[in-house]
Amino acid sequence: MTTTASRPGAKPRAAIAARTLRTDRWWVPPLGIAAILLFFIAYATVRIFMAKWYFVPEHNYLTPLYSPCVAENCVPGSSHFGTWLPALPFFIPLGIIAFPIVAGFRVTCYYYRKSGYRSLWASPQACAVKEPHTKYTGETRFPLIFMNAHRYFWYLAFAVLLINFYDAALGFKGTDGGFGIGLGTVIIWVNVLALAGYTLSCHVCRHITGGRLKHFSKHPLRYKFWTFVSKLNAKHGTYAMTSLFTVILTDAYIMAVSAGWFSDLRFIN
Amino acid sequence: MGSTRKFRVWRGDENGGDLQDFQVEVNEGEVVLDVIHRLQATQTPDLACRWNCKAGKCGSCSMEINGMPKLGCMTRMSTFTEDETVTITPLRTFPVIRDLVTDVSYNYEKARETPAFAPPAGVAPGDYRMQQVDVERSQEFRKCIECFLCQNTCHVVRDHEENKPEFSGPRYFIRAAELDMHPLDAKTDRKEYAQASMGMGYCNITKCCTEVCPEHIKITDNAIIPMKERVIDRKFDPLVWLGRKILRRDQLNGQGQGLDAPSGKPAGVTGHAKGVGPTSARLPEPPDLQEDGKLALTEITFDRPAAPSPFGEDVSFPMRGTSYVHPDRQRETSPEDEGTQAH
């Protein structure tokens, strides 16, 4: 029996039995990406429900998974934007404001759509490898039609990015309360720069800065923006994966310092 | 130095077939298509294979080499190890005719369904003026050689034959994007058409089309995703819709010439593809006719040399009253001229 697709009335394709004739190790990239994505999902789930070790008051280090922390039961000092939510029960994460936004932003991201559909949904796992699904409607109907909401997640994620920058600026707090730089500050800034790269290189950003125009010549400034974003956009996948790791690294470092597993390495003050 | 390599080539037709083993001599610098030709010359003179330019520009020799859609003429044998068996099969998405030749008419049907360039009203042929910066994006898509490797590798139709009526495929998405980004195209509903009648929503951005493109066109990043975003502007983004209604932003309305073929049917062939003609102020132009009102039988018997001259029919070449000498040449010759005059 052939594994090539067919439908009644259609002329037959070449009768080739193999699911794929690829001889390279095509399963390695989707397997690796699946491992990374699943690890991040598991790590983030554990961390957002942990509700502790997310803030280092000595140096104002706040993990991006809990920023902004606006509930009454946030650790004192971690609420950079006030506490206008009541104390949250254990099953609602303290990062409830931003986490759904950044999670939605990543899920609907064009890069993560590629990596997710390939590695987690096998649709398809790799090019020219037959997918296991018998029916396929793509993003034409519920629920995947909501992938088109990426634009709205981008608008919101941009606001979250600004909040992250504000948090990072507060991270220059020295041991005596004045200006200071520690390893935590450096890690936090590397993370926000990676997040900025990821957010600005987004395809939606490329579209709204100038991609939707028909005549670049009538909008020279927007064309410049578009050209800049297009350059970043070519590396969107790199920014997406780098920022995923920097978020984990930042959170893990702040957790370790906050829990007292080791102390922050101070460079200045 | 030549060496003998192992090959498996799919032989058969619509009634069935299988992979046949061959041992063929391979020389330095050769490509897979050279090996196919050597097979035809030495062992299997009836092996069917489509080819033409041998330079990666005609898009004829599309095949699957070790399972990956590639051009036979652009796949060097040096990319395989000497003991590797190279498997060559026809494109798996299209019906097989014989051996490595497939019936790619699906693509031509989709090409016919895709609405053509709509000339802007009030601009005569020859008067089209565009800024380079406005056409750069579209020019990338003009590199397409129509090898249909992207159409072949796209899992939407490769693994689901039933999607073929609704799905035009990456090659025609770049065509849609090319025309939607074209500064002079007057059709304003290309976005809606791409979504409703070309099956843009079926694409899930897995980028295999970009991976296999021999012209390295960034199909997904530069055509499909921008086109999806343009569709979102029209179909899924209430803010943009509201902004367009209130502010009457022409940039989002395209040229606003009202040249829309009816679309909106959820799937399949509509409007232009069904044969509904354009409603432009400028009608399609007929070819030049002879004085008796008939089309010339051949170019030789035609009373004019070719298409109308952009300089006008009354101008003949070389034009009189104009002279041109290259400035360098003029400098070289001028001392001699002076000398001649002195004598």
Side-chain angles (χ1 to χ4, degrees):
Chain A
M1 183 179 158
T2 171
T3 57
T4 45
S6 62
R7 85 186 140 100
K11 285 192 277 182
R13 305 180 181 190
I16 299 167
R19 181 180 170 219
T20 180
L21 290 167
R22 282 182 69 166
T23 52
D24 57 338
R25 292 189 295 164
W26 56 263
W27 65 89
V28 173
L31 208 62
I33 298 286
I36 292 169
L37 296 181
L38 289 175
F39 170 73
F40 180 76
I41 292 168
Y43 179 90
T45 309
V46 170
R47 275 294 286 154
I48 61 169
F49 287 107
M50 206 180 251
K52 59 179 178 180
W53 301 335
Y54 55 85
F55 185 60
V56 180
E58 295 82 21
H59 307 298
N60 255 337
Y61 294 163
L62 176 64
T63 166
L65 295 182
Y66 283 75
S67 173
C69 202
V70 292
E72 275 182 10
N73 53 339
C74 288
V75 173
S78 65
S79 303
H80 300 156
F81 295 90
T83 53
W84 34 272
L85 280 185
L88 298 173
F90 71 93
F91 55 85
I92 298 180
L94 290 171
I96 187 68
I97 298 294
F99 194 75
I101 294 171
V102 293
F105 181 51
R106 293 209 182 235
V107 167
T108 58
C109 162
Y110 286 102
Y111 170 75
Y112 284 107
R113 267 143 90 172
K114 174 202 161 192
S115 47
Y117 284 132
R118 280 201 191 190
S119 59
L120 301 178
W121 193 241
S123 179
Q125 279 166 304
C127 304
V129 176
K130 184 172 168 54
E131 61 178 52
H133 311 283
T134 51
K135 198 166 179 283
Y136 176 85
T137 54
E139 297 175 346
T140 56
R141 57 186 66 179
F142 182 83
L144 293 181
I145 198 164
F146 281 102
M147 290 294 189
N148 290 311
H150 188 47
R151 180 173 302 183
Y152 284 102
F153 283 114
W154 186 86
Y155 293 137
L156 296 170
F158 192 79
V160 173
L161 177 71
L162 297 179
I163 291 172
N164 289 333
F165 266 105
Y166 181 71
D167 292 341
L170 293 179
F172 286 112
K173 184 184 174 189
T175 315
D176 62 1
F179 179 82
I181 297 177
L183 182 58
T185 321
V186 174
I187 290 176
I188 287 172
W189 271 95
V190 168
N191 179 49
V192 288
L193 291 177
L195 287 173
Y198 174 54
T199 312
L200 292 177
S201 66
C202 171
H203 293 84
V204 164
C205 182
R206 192 182 182 211
H207 177 73
I208 59 182
T209 49
R212 63 159 59 119
L213 299 173
K214 207 173 175 78
H215 297 92
F216 281 146
S217 55
K218 291 180 185 169
H219 302 266
L221 201 60
R222 289 184 72 179
Y223 175 61
K224 276 192 176 172
F225 278 137
W226 179 84
T227 311
F228 171 69
V229 173
S230 295
K231 278 181 192 157
L232 291 178
N233 181 259
K235 299 270 178 205
H236 189 50
T238 312
Y239 285 119
M241 276 308 185
T242 308
S243 60
L244 198 64
F245 281 109
T246 57
V247 165
I248 294 177
L249 177 70
T250 311
D251 181 71
Y253 186 84
I254 291 171
M255 175 169 66
V257 173
S258 176
W261 298 340
F262 54 76
S263 58
D264 185 30
L265 178 65
R266 303 302 297 172
F267 302 127
I268 301 171
N269 191 14
Chain B
M1 275 292 287
S3 61
T4 304
R5 307 269 193 100
K6 290 181 207 150
F7 286 85
R8 287 196 304 163
V9 182
W10 195 86
R11 307 284 321 265
D13 55 23
E14 60 181 28
N15 299 315
D18 54 12
L19 290 165
Q20 291 182 10
D21 293 312
F22 297 98
Q23 295 210 342
V24 197
E25 184 194 331
V26 174
N27 300 313
E28 197 178 335
E30 286 187 336
V31 294
V32 169
L33 187 61
D34 293 323
V35 174
I36 302 280
H37 285 158
R38 183 160 298 124
L39 267 174
Q40 289 174 328
T42 57
Q43 301 177 45
T44 59
D46 62 338
L47 173 67
C49 173
R50 203 180 264 134
W51 67 281
N52 191 5
C53 77
K54 294 184 80 175
K57 287 293 163 201
C58 74
S60 302
C61 61
S62 302
M63 54 183 74
E64 297 195 5
I65 300 165
N66 277 352
M68 271 305 275
K70 287 180 179 175
L71 293 181
C73 69
M74 297 303 282
T75 309
R76 299 179 77 93
M77 284 308 300
S78 58
T79 56
F80 307 106
T81 55
E82 287 216 1
D83 56 345
E84 194 174 348
T85 303
V86 180
T87 308
I88 303 169
T89 52
L91 300 179
R92 284 171 75 160
T93 303
F94 311 121
V96 67
I97 296 175
R98 220 184 88 141
D99 301 340
L100 301 178
V101 178
T102 51
D103 176 2
V104 292
S105 51
Y106 158 76
N107 303 294
Y108 297 116
E109 285 162 20
K110 292 298 168 189
R112 203 177 299 128
E113 287 174 18
T114 308
F117 172 76
V123 186
D127 286 349
Y128 290 8
R129 296 292 179 270
M130 292 169 271
Q131 304 249 7
Q132 176 60 30
V133 74
D134 291 336
V135 290
E136 263 165 4
R137 282 181 298 179
S138 297
Q139 281 175 336
E140 180 190 4
F141 311 136
R142 300 294 296 183
K143 290 194 298 179
C144 177
I145 57 172
E146 300 214 309
C147 61
F148 303 130
L149 289 180
C150 57
Q151 302 282 91
N152 172 60
T153 199
C154 182
H155 70 117
V156 177
V157 284
R158 184 183 176 93
D159 297 336
H160 304 279
E161 173 80 26
E162 70 277 7
N163 287 337
K164 275 187 179 173
E166 287 84 26
F167 186 70
S168 292
R171 194 272 166 267
Y172 300 102
F173 293 154
I174 68 172
R175 178 73 176 145
E178 176 198 331
L179 291 171
D180 201 50
M181 293 170 184
H182 195 294
L184 288 182
D185 181 62
K187 195 164 162 55
T188 58
D189 73 339
R190 291 196 185 276
K191 303 159 185 75
E192 290 86 345
Y193 189 87
Q195 194 255 352
S197 303
M198 297 177 79
M200 183 71 85
Y202 281 83
C203 170
N204 66 346
I205 323 286
T206 38
K207 284 199 173 179
C208 285
C209 47
T210 307
E211 265 184 44
V212 300
C213 180
E215 283 291 315
H216 307 294
I217 301 171
K218 299 277 179 285
I219 300 174
T220 322
D221 284 324
N222 288 350
I224 298 180
I225 294 175
M227 205 57 197
K228 274 195 170 228
E229 285 297 321
R230 284 164 178 242
V231 169
I232 293 167
D233 278 347
R234 292 288 173 90
K235 304 286 286 191
F236 302 114
D237 192 338
L239 279 186
V240 174
W241 177 83
L242 204 64
R244 207 169 64 233
K245 287 285 172 198
I246 295 170
L247 303 172
R248 303 181 63 82
R249 293 158 73 181
D250 287 338
Q251 281 295 304
L252 299 175
N253 268 328
Q255 292 292 295
Q257 299 293 331
L259 198 76
D260 302 346
S263 62
K265 196 180 159 189
V269 177
T270 58
H272 174 89
K274 258 192 161 176
V276 178
T279 56
S280 168
R282 190 182 136 199
L283 294 170
E285 288 146 28
D288 270 5
L289 301 177
Q290 292 183 146
E291 281 180 1
D292 59 2
K294 290 180 180 169
L295 208 63
L297 197 61
T298 70
E299 241 176 51
I300 299 167
T301 57
F302 196 30
D303 56 6
R304 263 155 286 169
S309 164
F311 298 92
E313 293 297 333
D314 54 338
V315 178
S316 58
F317 293 92
M319 289 170 77
R320 287 187 192 139
T322 58
S323 61
Y324 174 77
V325 181
H326 194 279
D328 294 345
R329 182 66 62 89
Q330 201 167 20
R331 270 198 297 274
E332 284 167 19
T333 54
S334 51
E336 281 179 34
D337 294 346
E338 284 166 13
T340 314
Q341 283 168 4
H343 284 291

